[in-house]
Amino acid sequence: MNNEHVEILKRGVDVWNSWRREHAQGPNSASAYPDFRDADLSEMNLRGADFEHADLTGANLQKSNLSFANLACANLSKANLHASTLDWANISNRSVRKGTKPSDASWSLLISEGGAILVGADLSRSHLSGTDLTNANLMAVNLRSASLLDVRFSNTNLSTAFGLEACNHLGPSHLDFLTLSKSWPLPLPFLRGCGLPDILIDYLPSLLNEPIHFYSCFISYSARDYELASRLYNDLQGKGVRCWFAPKDLKIGDRIRTGIDESIRLHDKLLLILSEHSVASDWVEQEVETALERERKEKRLVLFPVRLDNAVMEIKSGWPALIRNTRNIADMQEWRNDREYQAVFNRLLHDLKDTQT
């Protein structure tokens, strides 16, 4: 961190921008690559600030106003942007000065990539309306509950960003083909929130040369576990796994029990969400019995159980005990933790691959 840079910035954005203009005399000038590493810039009004090529690694920008700021080719790795405002900020490469090469090797990579680095940044609950993220690297960025509207995801790497399924979409955003190909697969709620129609989403795997090779899946759950069931449904659909999710997929007028039994027979696997609620559910019991009957007749694995608590481990008899004694049950007790959830989800997705195709 350069204390002089911090002190100048704290005098106000107009003072900071004037200082940068006055000292801009080439790539080796005092203002060429401002150093704000680990600086505390929280709750500051930085609207319109010029941070082009600035090193903001690990900076605390929590609740700061960065609207209309120029963050082109800035390094925001591990920066805390929680609840910050970046409306209409430029985080792209549109003003990159060709040929400039800072001494740090990571900056050389930055210039060659052409966009900002936000690796590991916390953008949760931030406001990103109109933000230009062209060519930005969002590896391991937290976007949970970020508000999006007219955000430009152009040639943007979202492949390891998390919280995408929980973004707050205030309106459509821009997703280009390069972003989709770099980041695929993306969660269904994110794609829909950005404005992609379902008919296009259905064709994306084939357009991206990634045909669906997963078993189809029926999700069995208690209504009181709807939140996780809905998340699994959206994430599996987003990964190309065709799912059935009651009551969402029941047609108006269907006889409920008949429709569910038929759907279990039509899908390859039954994903069973085990909890204190589901093990006491007559409906779940019938769904399990239907799946077990299929296993006996077809002599193949149908049930895929995951558990949210220890209820199934404590029951001594009945179908829950049978499943506990005969199946490997995935542990999703920490499913509200994004990283824990993703680890179990990835194993589940791996096991749902159809190795016969």
Side-chain angles (χ1 to χ4, degrees):
M1 177 173 62
N2 186 313
N3 290 324
E4 179 189 5
H5 293 172
V6 175
E7 289 303 315
I8 295 171
L9 180 63
K10 287 188 175 180
R11 294 177 200 165
V13 169
D14 289 341
V15 174
W16 168 254
N17 288 350
S18 295
W19 181 84
R20 288 209 73 182
R21 287 193 296 270
E22 291 170 5
H23 294 77
Q25 299 176 351
N28 296 316
S29 68
S31 68
Y33 306 107
D35 183 358
F36 294 104
R37 287 174 294 178
D38 299 314
D40 185 2
L41 307 176
S42 59
E43 301 187 47
M44 289 183 64
N45 182 5
L46 302 170
R47 181 184 175 90
D50 183 2
F51 288 117
E52 182 176 357
H53 292 287
D55 191 346
L56 289 149
T57 303
N60 181 7
L61 290 155
Q62 185 172 213
K63 297 183 180 179
S64 289
N65 182 1
L66 287 154
S67 298
F68 297 95
N70 180 8
L71 291 156
C73 288
N75 190 341
L76 288 150
S77 298
K78 298 183 180 179
N80 182 1
L81 289 145
H82 175 77
S84 61
T85 302
L86 292 109
D87 295 345
W88 305 100
N90 176 19
I91 310 181
S92 72
N93 69 332
R94 297 184 186 279
S95 55
V96 174
R97 295 186 290 271
K98 299 297 183 183
T100 57
K101 290 186 178 181
S103 57
D104 192 304
S106 66
W107 282 88
S108 298
L109 172 62
L110 170 61
I111 298 299
S112 67
E113 290 290 333
I117 293 179
L118 291 95
V119 176
D122 181 3
L123 285 162
S124 60
R125 299 189 181 279
S126 59
H127 298 270
L128 298 170
S129 298
T131 301
D132 188 346
L133 290 165
T134 299
N135 293 320
N137 184 348
L138 275 68
M139 183 180 295
V141 166
N142 182 4
L143 284 163
R144 178 165 293 279
S145 299
S147 295
L148 310 182
L149 170 64
D150 198 26
V151 178
R152 184 168 296 280
F153 295 104
S154 180
N155 195 27
T156 308
N157 187 349
L158 293 165
S159 60
T160 57
F162 58 95
L164 292 175
E165 75 288 345
C167 289
N168 179 24
H169 295 271
L170 305 178
S173 292
H174 306 273
L175 281 173
D176 73 350
F177 190 78
L178 286 172
T179 297
L180 290 169
S181 59
K182 275 187 172 185
S183 311
W184 187 258
L186 288 165
L188 188 62
F190 180 77
L191 294 171
R192 285 175 171 164
C194 287
L196 272 66
D198 283 351
I199 190 168
L200 174 58
I201 293 171
D202 289 342
Y203 279 103
L204 279 177
S206 57
L207 291 174
L208 294 165
N209 296 318
E210 292 188 18
I212 297 172
H213 292 306
F214 292 103
Y215 290 114
S216 60
C217 194
F218 177 99
I219 301 177
S220 176
Y221 70 104
S222 163
R224 296 182 68 176
D225 300 319
Y226 175 85
E227 188 178 355
L228 173 61
S230 178
R231 182 175 183 180
L232 283 168
Y233 172 82
N234 286 322
D235 287 350
L236 288 169
Q237 289 274 104
K239 297 293 186 181
V241 181
R242 186 166 57 89
C243 292
W244 198 97
F245 179 57
K248 181 181 180 68
D249 294 305
L250 278 174
K251 295 182 178 65
I252 294 174
D254 276 354
R255 294 179 63 185
I256 294 177
R257 184 69 256 164
T258 303
I260 289 176
D261 287 345
E262 180 63 21
S263 292
I264 294 173
R265 284 192 291 271
L266 290 174
H267 287 76
D268 301 306
K269 306 292 182 183
L270 184 139
L271 176 57
L272 174 61
I273 298 176
L274 292 164
S275 70
E276 60 175 318
H277 310 301
S278 64
V279 297
S281 167
D282 292 338
W283 281 67
V284 172
E285 180 179 4
Q286 291 182 56
E287 290 163 4
V288 171
E289 289 177 351
T290 300
L292 290 173
E293 180 62 24
R294 277 192 65 191
E295 288 191 344
R296 287 189 287 270
K297 287 183 177 179
E298 300 175 15
K299 293 183 171 50
R300 66 179 185 86
L301 185 67
V302 173
L303 274 175
F304 271 65
V306 300
R307 65 183 178 95
L308 305 188
D309 52 40
N310 289 321
V312 71
M313 312 304 288
E314 297 167 356
I315 296 176
K316 305 299 183 183
S317 61
W319 66 267
L322 173 66
I323 290 173
R324 183 189 69 242
N325 293 329
T326 60
R327 305 300 167 103
N328 180 28
I329 304 174
D331 187 345
M332 295 197 82
Q333 294 184 85
E334 301 298 323
W335 68 272
R336 293 185 185 279
N337 179 304
D338 285 326
R339 296 187 189 280
E340 293 290 335
Y341 168 84
Q342 199 62 48
V344 180
F345 178 80
N346 288 341
R347 290 198 298 271
L348 175 65
L349 193 66
H350 177 270
D351 291 341
L352 283 172
K353 287 183 179 177
D354 184 356
T355 57
Q356 303 301 314
T357 57

